[in-house]
Amino acid sequence: MAGRLMAGGAARGGCREGGGVMAGGGGAALLGPVPGVPSCPHGPALLFVKTGQETPEGRRFYACSACRDRKDCNFFQWEDEKVSETRLAAREEYNRTHQPPRTHGQNVERYKEFVLLPLSKRRFCQECQQLLLPAEWEKHSDHQLLCGISAAQLRSPSQLLYPLENKKTNAQYLFADRSCQFLLDLILDLGFRRVLSVGTPRLHEMIQSKASQEDDFRVRSLLLDIDFRYSQFYTEDEFCHYNMFNHHFFGGEAARETCRKFLCQDNGERVIMVTDPPFGGLVEALASSFKKLMAMWKESEAEDQDNQEMPMFWIFPYFFETRILEFFPSFRMMDYQVDYDNHALYKHGKTGRRQSPVRIFTNITPSRIVLPVEEGYRFCAVCERYVSSGNQHCEMCNSCTSKDGRRWKHCVLCKKCVKPSWFHCNNCNCCALQNHACEKPDAGCFVCGKAGHKRSACPSLSCA
């Protein structure tokens, strides 16, 4: 879950003009990306619409695609705002000066020099998060340094680099070895030979490490990530600086072509995309980018791909299931619990509500996704998929219905299975927590506030 810049501050918390939510109620919804939009240091902005009591018809604005907090990126512009030439020039200069100080190519050349150094001269600055050449030691003399950087450490940069843990901006959580090894074993068992690793640096480095040490290991990986620090360790054919919220390749057309060639190699066969986006990110923006990557894959020459989707693992919490299926109806959620090294709650082996809520959504036939029996997973012959031990088949629903690993119970009145802690409320005419408030809020559209339709079908968005 790397480079986890969490999009959606505008859409989730209201308009960010002045750094906060605008007064007057209402909300904001994503309309973009659209062509010809202004850019910030994170690439093209996204277009949102803001609605409220004063503007029920909505007013459109551009905001950063990647950052929720204006302190991290202060870009904001109304769509109908006239921007002066002076301000445009200042913005371009600001965007230029807020890019990494070195290019990817320069970092690759530095790496070649670094690996030729004897072990005693290999140093890494923990404060600046960069590999140091001897001529640079003096500038970092008062910084915390790691010395004697080994080849094994260079093959595992996600363990050498500090995770970016600002929850409002990055929330960079990394797969635990258990989950990473499971994903790689599954990829091998399914016969894939190329992995497009979108925001999954630990999976990428496991593949790269095995490829460099085992002659018969044939899997290759290309990492797309917004964390540019990885350019210190990987060539342009192994890593692309990429923003998954607006499908922006910071390396321009050359990086985009690298990705396209990787996907279309061998007529696009035996390639899978594995992505682990920030959980606070907008599903709409992510889905848009993933569909563009899929379209890039379809540019291969294979004739039988017209009606196919590129195989994909989207790793996300189970409570986003409805949103993901809205954009990818062919996907199914697997019961496997993905866990992370540096997250206090998302750990395997916890029970009840303490279990990791993170799952794998995929368009691969569920019966082919074999989950480890030794961890308590079993095959349900009726559902034709592996399920967790607590996920019991419901005869009335004709499905293994649990989403969170606990055994759910069937409510005859609701005609579906619900969480074990829920009870049927006659006032609300549905199941809910026992101590919930019965006052039912107005179920209006998030965009215009009117009842009778969902945000995705709002007439206010029809001209977008």
Side-chain angles (χ1 to χ4, degrees), residues 94-122:
Y94 179 87
N95 291 347
R96 186 187 65 80
T97 57
H98 281 74
Q99 295 305 314
R102 297 186 182 91
T103 66
H104 192 167
Q106 289 171 333
N107 277 340
V108 170
E109 292 304 314
R110 284 168 52 81
Y111 183 83
K112 291 177 181 178
E113 292 183 50
F114 188 89
V115 296
L116 293 176
L117 296 172
L119 199 62
S120 61
K121 292 190 175 182
R122 292 184 184 178

PDB file of all heavy atoms in Angstrom, residues 94-122:
ATOM      1  N   TYR A  94       5.860  27.048  -9.469  1.00  0.00           N
ATOM      2  CA  TYR A  94       5.654  26.316  -8.214  1.00  0.00           C
ATOM      3  C   TYR A  94       5.640  24.808  -8.469  1.00  0.00           C
ATOM      4  O   TYR A  94       6.283  24.037  -7.751  1.00  0.00           O
ATOM      5  CB  TYR A  94       4.333  26.755  -7.575  1.00  0.00           C
ATOM      6  CG  TYR A  94       3.998  26.040  -6.285  1.00  0.00           C
ATOM      7  CD1 TYR A  94       4.477  26.513  -5.066  1.00  0.00           C
ATOM      8  CD2 TYR A  94       3.199  24.882  -6.285  1.00  0.00           C
ATOM      9  CE1 TYR A  94       4.169  25.852  -3.877  1.00  0.00           C
ATOM     10  CE2 TYR A  94       2.890  24.225  -5.108  1.00  0.00           C
ATOM     11  CZ  TYR A  94       3.377  24.719  -3.909  1.00  0.00           C
ATOM     12  OH  TYR A  94       3.078  24.068  -2.734  1.00  0.00           O
ATOM     13  N   ASN A  95       4.928  24.387  -9.516  1.00  0.00           N
ATOM     14  CA  ASN A  95       4.873  22.965  -9.846  1.00  0.00           C
ATOM     15  C   ASN A  95       6.251  22.426 -10.195  1.00  0.00           C
ATOM     16  O   ASN A  95       6.612  21.310  -9.804  1.00  0.00           O
ATOM     17  CB  ASN A  95       3.914  22.728 -11.017  1.00  0.00           C
ATOM     18  CG  ASN A  95       2.467  22.978 -10.643  1.00  0.00           C
ATOM     19  OD1 ASN A  95       2.116  23.095  -9.472  1.00  0.00           O
ATOM     20  ND2 ASN A  95       1.602  23.067 -11.659  1.00  0.00           N
ATOM     21  N   ARG A  96       7.023  23.246 -10.912  1.00  0.00           N
ATOM     22  CA  ARG A  96       8.363  22.811 -11.320  1.00  0.00           C
ATOM     23  C   ARG A  96       9.283  22.653 -10.116  1.00  0.00           C
ATOM     24  O   ARG A  96      10.022  21.672 -10.002  1.00  0.00           O
ATOM     25  CB  ARG A  96       8.962  23.825 -12.304  1.00  0.00           C
ATOM     26  CG  ARG A  96      10.294  23.400 -12.906  1.00  0.00           C
ATOM     27  CD  ARG A  96      10.908  24.515 -13.739  1.00  0.00           C
ATOM     28  NE  ARG A  96      11.255  25.668 -12.916  1.00  0.00           N
ATOM     29  CZ  ARG A  96      12.363  25.731 -12.166  1.00  0.00           C
ATOM     30  NH1 ARG A  96      13.211  24.711 -12.152  1.00  0.00           N
ATOM     31  NH2 ARG A  96      12.624  26.806 -11.467  1.00  0.00           N
ATOM     32  N   THR A  97       9.239  23.600  -9.196  1.00  0.00           N
ATOM     33  CA  THR A  97      10.141  23.573  -8.032  1.00  0.00           C
ATOM     34  C   THR A  97       9.717  22.552  -6.984  1.00  0.00           C
ATOM     35  O   THR A  97      10.485  22.274  -6.059  1.00  0.00           O
ATOM     36  CB  THR A  97      10.218  24.962  -7.382  1.00  0.00           C
ATOM     37  OG1 THR A  97       8.903  25.388  -7.014  1.00  0.00           O
ATOM     38  CG2 THR A  97      10.836  25.975  -8.336  1.00  0.00           C
ATOM     39  N   HIS A  98       8.508  22.010  -7.123  1.00  0.00           N
ATOM     40  CA  HIS A  98       8.057  21.014  -6.156  1.00  0.00           C
ATOM     41  C   HIS A  98       8.108  19.596  -6.732  1.00  0.00           C
ATOM     42  O   HIS A  98       7.411  18.699  -6.280  1.00  0.00           O
ATOM     43  CB  HIS A  98       6.639  21.343  -5.671  1.00  0.00           C
ATOM     44  CG  HIS A  98       6.619  22.437  -4.636  1.00  0.00           C
ATOM     45  ND1 HIS A  98       6.837  23.756  -4.970  1.00  0.00           N
ATOM     46  CD2 HIS A  98       6.445  22.395  -3.297  1.00  0.00           C
ATOM     47  CE1 HIS A  98       6.774  24.497  -3.865  1.00  0.00           C
ATOM     48  NE2 HIS A  98       6.545  23.701  -2.841  1.00  0.00           N
ATOM     49  N   GLN A  99       8.947  19.407  -7.742  1.00  0.00           N
ATOM     50  CA  GLN A  99       9.232  18.079  -8.254  1.00  0.00           C
ATOM     51  C   GLN A  99      10.524  17.575  -7.618  1.00  0.00           C
ATOM     52  O   GLN A  99      11.295  18.353  -7.056  1.00  0.00           O
ATOM     53  CB  GLN A  99       9.347  18.112  -9.777  1.00  0.00           C
ATOM     54  CG  GLN A  99       8.051  18.483 -10.487  1.00  0.00           C
ATOM     55  CD  GLN A  99       6.891  17.581 -10.102  1.00  0.00           C
ATOM     56  OE1 GLN A  99       7.018  16.365 -10.064  1.00  0.00           O
ATOM     57  NE2 GLN A  99       5.745  18.199  -9.783  1.00  0.00           N
ATOM     58  N   PRO A 100      10.802  16.271  -7.670  1.00  0.00           N
ATOM     59  CA  PRO A 100      12.041  15.739  -7.088  1.00  0.00           C
ATOM     60  C   PRO A 100      13.270  16.441  -7.655  1.00  0.00           C
ATOM     61  O   PRO A 100      13.288  16.830  -8.834  1.00  0.00           O
ATOM     62  CB  PRO A 100      12.018  14.259  -7.492  1.00  0.00           C
ATOM     63  CG  PRO A 100      10.556  13.952  -7.668  1.00  0.00           C
ATOM     64  CD  PRO A 100       9.941  15.200  -8.226  1.00  0.00           C
ATOM     65  N   PRO A 101      14.307  16.623  -6.837  1.00  0.00           N
ATOM     66  CA  PRO A 101      15.502  17.359  -7.283  1.00  0.00           C
ATOM     67  C   PRO A 101      16.291  16.651  -8.381  1.00  0.00           C
ATOM     68  O   PRO A 101      17.030  17.289  -9.118  1.00  0.00           O
ATOM     69  CB  PRO A 101      16.339  17.478  -5.999  1.00  0.00           C
ATOM     70  CG  PRO A 101      15.867  16.356  -5.129  1.00  0.00           C
ATOM     71  CD  PRO A 101      14.420  16.183  -5.440  1.00  0.00           C
ATOM     72  N   ARG A 102      16.146  15.333  -8.470  1.00  0.00           N
ATOM     73  CA  ARG A 102      16.852  14.579  -9.515  1.00  0.00           C
ATOM     74  C   ARG A 102      15.849  13.833 -10.383  1.00  0.00           C
ATOM     75  O   ARG A 102      14.767  13.493  -9.941  1.00  0.00           O
ATOM     76  CB  ARG A 102      17.824  13.560  -8.895  1.00  0.00           C
ATOM     77  CG  ARG A 102      18.941  14.174  -8.064  1.00  0.00           C
ATOM     78  CD  ARG A 102      19.923  13.092  -7.638  1.00  0.00           C
ATOM     79  NE  ARG A 102      20.981  13.630  -6.790  1.00  0.00           N
ATOM     80  CZ  ARG A 102      20.919  13.683  -5.468  1.00  0.00           C
ATOM     81  NH1 ARG A 102      19.861  13.205  -4.843  1.00  0.00           N
ATOM     82  NH2 ARG A 102      21.911  14.195  -4.769  1.00  0.00           N
ATOM     83  N   THR A 103      16.248  13.576 -11.606  1.00  0.00           N
ATOM     84  CA  THR A 103      15.409  12.771 -12.490  1.00  0.00           C
ATOM     85  C   THR A 103      15.604  11.295 -12.168  1.00  0.00           C
ATOM     86  O   THR A 103      16.561  10.904 -11.477  1.00  0.00           O
ATOM     87  CB  THR A 103      15.775  13.016 -13.959  1.00  0.00           C
ATOM     88  OG1 THR A 103      17.113  12.527 -14.197  1.00  0.00           O
ATOM     89  CG2 THR A 103      15.700  14.504 -14.311  1.00  0.00           C
ATOM     90  N   HIS A 104      14.729  10.476 -12.702  1.00  0.00           N
ATOM     91  CA  HIS A 104      14.856   9.031 -12.523  1.00  0.00           C
ATOM     92  C   HIS A 104      16.173   8.543 -13.122  1.00  0.00           C
ATOM     93  O   HIS A 104      16.895   7.735 -12.524  1.00  0.00           O
ATOM     94  CB  HIS A 104      13.669   8.322 -13.172  1.00  0.00           C
ATOM     95  CG  HIS A 104      13.546   6.881 -12.799  1.00  0.00           C
ATOM     96  ND1 HIS A 104      12.416   6.136 -13.063  1.00  0.00           N
ATOM     97  CD2 HIS A 104      14.409   6.020 -12.194  1.00  0.00           C
ATOM     98  CE1 HIS A 104      12.595   4.905 -12.630  1.00  0.00           C
ATOM     99  NE2 HIS A 104      13.805   4.795 -12.115  1.00  0.00           N
ATOM    100  N   GLY A 105      16.505   9.048 -14.304  1.00  0.00           N
ATOM    101  CA  GLY A 105      17.750   8.647 -14.955  1.00  0.00           C
ATOM    102  C   GLY A 105      18.973   8.988 -14.127  1.00  0.00           C
ATOM    103  O   GLY A 105      19.924   8.198 -14.047  1.00  0.00           O
ATOM    104  N   GLN A 106      18.981  10.159 -13.495  1.00  0.00           N
ATOM    105  CA  GLN A 106      20.102  10.548 -12.641  1.00  0.00           C
ATOM    106  C   GLN A 106      20.218   9.631 -11.427  1.00  0.00           C
ATOM    107  O   GLN A 106      21.321   9.270 -11.013  1.00  0.00           O
ATOM    108  CB  GLN A 106      19.928  12.006 -12.198  1.00  0.00           C
ATOM    109  CG  GLN A 106      20.139  13.006 -13.315  1.00  0.00           C
ATOM    110  CD  GLN A 106      19.754  14.417 -12.914  1.00  0.00           C
ATOM    111  OE1 GLN A 106      18.894  14.621 -12.042  1.00  0.00           O
ATOM    112  NE2 GLN A 106      20.372  15.403 -13.554  1.00  0.00           N
ATOM    113  N   ASN A 107      19.073   9.248 -10.877  1.00  0.00           N
ATOM    114  CA  ASN A 107      19.101   8.329  -9.742  1.00  0.00           C
ATOM    115  C   ASN A 107      19.632   6.955 -10.139  1.00  0.00           C
ATOM    116  O   ASN A 107      20.331   6.298  -9.356  1.00  0.00           O
ATOM    117  CB  ASN A 107      17.700   8.189  -9.129  1.00  0.00           C
ATOM    118  CG  ASN A 107      17.382   9.301  -8.156  1.00  0.00           C
ATOM    119  OD1 ASN A 107      18.271   9.977  -7.645  1.00  0.00           O
ATOM    120  ND2 ASN A 107      16.102   9.492  -7.891  1.00  0.00           N
ATOM    121  N   VAL A 108      19.310   6.521 -11.348  1.00  0.00           N
ATOM    122  CA  VAL A 108      19.816   5.236 -11.829  1.00  0.00           C
ATOM    123  C   VAL A 108      21.334   5.274 -11.952  1.00  0.00           C
ATOM    124  O   VAL A 108      22.026   4.320 -11.567  1.00  0.00           O
ATOM    125  CB  VAL A 108      19.168   4.872 -13.185  1.00  0.00           C
ATOM    126  CG1 VAL A 108      19.859   3.659 -13.806  1.00  0.00           C
ATOM    127  CG2 VAL A 108      17.675   4.593 -13.003  1.00  0.00           C
ATOM    128  N   GLU A 109      21.867   6.368 -12.487  1.00  0.00           N
ATOM    129  CA  GLU A 109      23.324   6.501 -12.616  1.00  0.00           C
ATOM    130  C   GLU A 109      23.994   6.526 -11.242  1.00  0.00           C
ATOM    131  O   GLU A 109      25.061   5.936 -11.052  1.00  0.00           O
ATOM    132  CB  GLU A 109      23.668   7.769 -13.405  1.00  0.00           C
ATOM    133  CG  GLU A 109      23.253   7.714 -14.873  1.00  0.00           C
ATOM    134  CD  GLU A 109      23.852   6.520 -15.605  1.00  0.00           C
ATOM    135  OE1 GLU A 109      25.066   6.271 -15.429  1.00  0.00           O
ATOM    136  OE2 GLU A 109      23.107   5.841 -16.332  1.00  0.00           O
ATOM    137  N   ARG A 110      23.377   7.202 -10.281  1.00  0.00           N
ATOM    138  CA  ARG A 110      23.922   7.232  -8.919  1.00  0.00           C
ATOM    139  C   ARG A 110      23.941   5.823  -8.316  1.00  0.00           C
ATOM    140  O   ARG A 110      24.874   5.436  -7.620  1.00  0.00           O
ATOM    141  CB  ARG A 110      23.082   8.157  -8.035  1.00  0.00           C
ATOM    142  CG  ARG A 110      23.319   9.646  -8.272  1.00  0.00           C
ATOM    143  CD  ARG A 110      22.253  10.481  -7.587  1.00  0.00           C
ATOM    144  NE  ARG A 110      22.099  10.123  -6.178  1.00  0.00           N
ATOM    145  CZ  ARG A 110      22.885  10.549  -5.206  1.00  0.00           C
ATOM    146  NH1 ARG A 110      23.878  11.371  -5.484  1.00  0.00           N
ATOM    147  NH2 ARG A 110      22.673  10.181  -3.956  1.00  0.00           N
ATOM    148  N   TYR A 111      22.879   5.056  -8.599  1.00  0.00           N
ATOM    149  CA  TYR A 111      22.803   3.700  -8.058  1.00  0.00           C
ATOM    150  C   TYR A 111      23.941   2.831  -8.612  1.00  0.00           C
ATOM    151  O   TYR A 111      24.539   2.031  -7.878  1.00  0.00           O
ATOM    152  CB  TYR A 111      21.448   3.078  -8.398  1.00  0.00           C
ATOM    153  CG  TYR A 111      21.245   1.694  -7.820  1.00  0.00           C
ATOM    154  CD1 TYR A 111      20.811   1.523  -6.507  1.00  0.00           C
ATOM    155  CD2 TYR A 111      21.489   0.551  -8.596  1.00  0.00           C
ATOM    156  CE1 TYR A 111      20.617   0.249  -5.975  1.00  0.00           C
ATOM    157  CE2 TYR A 111      21.304  -0.723  -8.071  1.00  0.00           C
ATOM    158  CZ  TYR A 111      20.867  -0.866  -6.757  1.00  0.00           C
ATOM    159  OH  TYR A 111      20.696  -2.113  -6.234  1.00  0.00           O
ATOM    160  N   LYS A 112      24.224   3.002  -9.903  1.00  0.00           N
ATOM    161  CA  LYS A 112      25.318   2.231 -10.513  1.00  0.00           C
ATOM    162  C   LYS A 112      26.641   2.533  -9.821  1.00  0.00           C
ATOM    163  O   LYS A 112      27.468   1.635  -9.606  1.00  0.00           O
ATOM    164  CB  LYS A 112      25.417   2.561 -12.002  1.00  0.00           C
ATOM    165  CG  LYS A 112      24.247   2.055 -12.843  1.00  0.00           C
ATOM    166  CD  LYS A 112      24.395   2.483 -14.296  1.00  0.00           C
ATOM    167  CE  LYS A 112      23.229   2.015 -15.147  1.00  0.00           C
ATOM    168  NZ  LYS A 112      23.349   2.485 -16.555  1.00  0.00           N
ATOM    169  N   GLU A 113      26.868   3.796  -9.460  1.00  0.00           N
ATOM    170  CA  GLU A 113      28.082   4.164  -8.729  1.00  0.00           C
ATOM    171  C   GLU A 113      28.056   3.587  -7.317  1.00  0.00           C
ATOM    172  O   GLU A 113      29.074   3.113  -6.798  1.00  0.00           O
ATOM    173  CB  GLU A 113      28.218   5.690  -8.650  1.00  0.00           C
ATOM    174  CG  GLU A 113      28.494   6.392  -9.969  1.00  0.00           C
ATOM    175  CD  GLU A 113      28.695   7.883  -9.781  1.00  0.00           C
ATOM    176  OE1 GLU A 113      29.501   8.262  -8.907  1.00  0.00           O
ATOM    177  OE2 GLU A 113      28.031   8.666 -10.491  1.00  0.00           O
ATOM    178  N   PHE A 114      26.890   3.627  -6.700  1.00  0.00           N
ATOM    179  CA  PHE A 114      26.758   3.198  -5.309  1.00  0.00           C
ATOM    180  C   PHE A 114      27.087   1.717  -5.145  1.00  0.00           C
ATOM    181  O   PHE A 114      27.806   1.323  -4.211  1.00  0.00           O
ATOM    182  CB  PHE A 114      25.337   3.480  -4.811  1.00  0.00           C
ATOM    183  CG  PHE A 114      25.141   3.257  -3.343  1.00  0.00           C
ATOM    184  CD1 PHE A 114      25.369   4.280  -2.428  1.00  0.00           C
ATOM    185  CD2 PHE A 114      24.719   2.020  -2.865  1.00  0.00           C
ATOM    186  CE1 PHE A 114      25.187   4.073  -1.069  1.00  0.00           C
ATOM    187  CE2 PHE A 114      24.530   1.804  -1.503  1.00  0.00           C
ATOM    188  CZ  PHE A 114      24.772   2.834  -0.603  1.00  0.00           C
ATOM    189  N   VAL A 115      26.581   0.859  -6.042  1.00  0.00           N
ATOM    190  CA  VAL A 115      26.792  -0.587  -5.886  1.00  0.00           C
ATOM    191  C   VAL A 115      28.244  -0.989  -6.133  1.00  0.00           C
ATOM    192  O   VAL A 115      28.660  -2.082  -5.733  1.00  0.00           O
ATOM    193  CB  VAL A 115      25.851  -1.397  -6.810  1.00  0.00           C
ATOM    194  CG1 VAL A 115      24.405  -1.178  -6.412  1.00  0.00           C
ATOM    195  CG2 VAL A 115      26.071  -1.035  -8.275  1.00  0.00           C
ATOM    196  N   LEU A 116      29.031  -0.120  -6.783  1.00  0.00           N
ATOM    197  CA  LEU A 116      30.447  -0.410  -7.007  1.00  0.00           C
ATOM    198  C   LEU A 116      31.303  -0.079  -5.791  1.00  0.00           C
ATOM    199  O   LEU A 116      32.472  -0.473  -5.723  1.00  0.00           O
ATOM    200  CB  LEU A 116      30.957   0.365  -8.224  1.00  0.00           C
ATOM    201  CG  LEU A 116      30.372  -0.036  -9.588  1.00  0.00           C
ATOM    202  CD1 LEU A 116      30.892   0.888 -10.682  1.00  0.00           C
ATOM    203  CD2 LEU A 116      30.682  -1.495  -9.909  1.00  0.00           C
ATOM    204  N   LEU A 117      30.719   0.648  -4.832  1.00  0.00           N
ATOM    205  CA  LEU A 117      31.459   1.021  -3.625  1.00  0.00           C
ATOM    206  C   LEU A 117      31.669  -0.188  -2.719  1.00  0.00           C
ATOM    207  O   LEU A 117      30.816  -1.077  -2.656  1.00  0.00           O
ATOM    208  CB  LEU A 117      30.699   2.098  -2.850  1.00  0.00           C
ATOM    209  CG  LEU A 117      30.506   3.462  -3.521  1.00  0.00           C
ATOM    210  CD1 LEU A 117      29.562   4.323  -2.683  1.00  0.00           C
ATOM    211  CD2 LEU A 117      31.852   4.167  -3.694  1.00  0.00           C
ATOM    212  N   PRO A 118      32.792  -0.232  -1.999  1.00  0.00           N
ATOM    213  CA  PRO A 118      32.948  -1.291  -0.993  1.00  0.00           C
ATOM    214  C   PRO A 118      31.909  -1.107   0.109  1.00  0.00           C
ATOM    215  O   PRO A 118      31.396  -0.002   0.321  1.00  0.00           O
ATOM    216  CB  PRO A 118      34.377  -1.064  -0.468  1.00  0.00           C
ATOM    217  CG  PRO A 118      34.689   0.350  -0.781  1.00  0.00           C
ATOM    218  CD  PRO A 118      33.958   0.679  -2.044  1.00  0.00           C
ATOM    219  N   LEU A 119      31.585  -2.179   0.801  1.00  0.00           N
ATOM    220  CA  LEU A 119      30.527  -2.146   1.813  1.00  0.00           C
ATOM    221  C   LEU A 119      30.761  -1.040   2.844  1.00  0.00           C
ATOM    222  O   LEU A 119      29.817  -0.377   3.294  1.00  0.00           O
ATOM    223  CB  LEU A 119      30.448  -3.507   2.509  1.00  0.00           C
ATOM    224  CG  LEU A 119      29.154  -3.815   3.267  1.00  0.00           C
ATOM    225  CD1 LEU A 119      27.962  -3.839   2.326  1.00  0.00           C
ATOM    226  CD2 LEU A 119      29.283  -5.148   4.014  1.00  0.00           C
ATOM    227  N   SER A 120      31.987  -0.782   3.204  1.00  0.00           N
ATOM    228  CA  SER A 120      32.313   0.219   4.228  1.00  0.00           C
ATOM    229  C   SER A 120      31.977   1.645   3.787  1.00  0.00           C
ATOM    230  O   SER A 120      31.872   2.543   4.627  1.00  0.00           O
ATOM    231  CB  SER A 120      33.800   0.135   4.591  1.00  0.00           C
ATOM    232  OG  SER A 120      34.605   0.400   3.441  1.00  0.00           O
ATOM    233  N   LYS A 121      31.803   1.852   2.483  1.00  0.00           N
ATOM    234  CA  LYS A 121      31.507   3.197   1.980  1.00  0.00           C
ATOM    235  C   LYS A 121      30.063   3.358   1.495  1.00  0.00           C
ATOM    236  O   LYS A 121      29.723   4.381   0.902  1.00  0.00           O
ATOM    237  CB  LYS A 121      32.476   3.542   0.848  1.00  0.00           C
ATOM    238  CG  LYS A 121      33.912   3.716   1.316  1.00  0.00           C
ATOM    239  CD  LYS A 121      34.802   4.285   0.216  1.00  0.00           C
ATOM    240  CE  LYS A 121      36.200   4.560   0.742  1.00  0.00           C
ATOM    241  NZ  LYS A 121      37.069   5.168  -0.301  1.00  0.00           N
ATOM    242  N   ARG A 122      29.252   2.360   1.745  1.00  0.00           N
ATOM    243  CA  ARG A 122      27.850   2.459   1.346  1.00  0.00           C
ATOM    244  C   ARG A 122      27.033   3.043   2.502  1.00  0.00           C
ATOM    245  O   ARG A 122      26.861   2.397   3.539  1.00  0.00           O
ATOM    246  CB  ARG A 122      27.290   1.088   0.968  1.00  0.00           C
ATOM    247  CG  ARG A 122      27.896   0.510  -0.298  1.00  0.00           C
ATOM    248  CD  ARG A 122      27.196  -0.800  -0.608  1.00  0.00           C
ATOM    249  NE  ARG A 122      27.759  -1.480  -1.760  1.00  0.00           N
ATOM    250  CZ  ARG A 122      27.343  -2.661  -2.203  1.00  0.00           C
ATOM    251  NH1 ARG A 122      26.349  -3.280  -1.548  1.00  0.00           N
ATOM    252  NH2 ARG A 122      27.890  -3.232  -3.256  1.00  0.00           N
TER     253      ARG A 122
END
